[in-house]
Amino acid sequence: MDAPVYVVVGAGPGLGLAAARRFARAGHRAVLAARRREDAEPLAATLRAEGHAAEGAGVDLADADDVTRVVAEIGARLGRIDVLHFNPSVWRAKGPLELTVAELLEDVTLGAAALLPAVQAARPFLRPGARVLATGSVAADAPPVSAASLGVQKAAVRNLITALDAALSPAVRAVTVQVNGTLADDGPFAPAAVADALWAAAARPDRDWTPYVAYDG
């Protein structure tokens, strides 16, 4: 298959679908991976109905072995991964005075640590010029007190992406796009607008590369 392949893990009907649509419009075959395949397949069907090549997959981001298996299977079957987009986050309505260690580690495992097996499994299929992309959040710098684990997740993702960019370059580059606003139905923080920012960050040439891009709307 000659078409570039875009894989989003942590896909959903909002930003995950919008980002997949943006990359599909640019000619990518889109693979949308959600917790269950039955959740992902309707998203892929939406893109197919719009004329794009797309498929759904199920992946348990809390299980590193499952992440490895699913991403490796996608790469082996399609022969390449050109963009690996890490999009999950966990909103747990607990502040730092109530959040337990076990809960924090559970959230960070899914919302940040799962990036590692995903990239490691994708690496054999990342051709020169491929990108690792992560959806960041203002929570990395201004963590919400009501959901204390979110800021830890997003700070960890930004840190890991910076390390991955150094480890993978120059052949492959990695970037976090930090969304400095709240997703909304319309306006500059609508899913389609944020998806454009994700696309623009990933499409930059190497000479302009930074592993962190702020999107302020």
Side-chain angles (χ1 to χ4, degrees), residues 27-131:
H28 289 66
R29 181 180 186 87
V31 182
L32 299 94
R35 174 65 181 84
R36 302 179 304 168
R37 189 178 185 279
E38 49 265 44
D39 296 326
E41 184 53 32
L43 305 177
T46 297
L47 295 184
R48 290 196 298 269
E50 296 170 4
H52 304 300
E55 60 186 83
V59 62
D60 182 359
L61 294 178
D63 182 341
D65 290 340
D66 195 52
V67 175
T68 297
R69 178 188 62 79
V70 171
V71 174
E73 189 277 332
I74 292 168
R77 181 166 49 80
L78 300 181
R80 61 193 293 174
I81 294 175
D82 297 88
V83 179
L84 177 67
H85 180 190
F86 189 75
N87 188 58
S89 61
V90 180
W91 178 277
R92 186 188 294 270
K94 280 197 173 184
L97 300 182
E98 297 80 35
L99 187 68
T100 69
V101 170
E103 290 167 338
L104 175 62
L105 294 178
E106 179 181 336
D107 295 351
V108 171
T109 295
L110 192 154
L115 174 63
L116 296 179
V119 173
Q120 291 161 8
R123 188 179 181 188
F125 309 102
L126 296 171
R127 300 183 178 189
R131 304 303 195 212

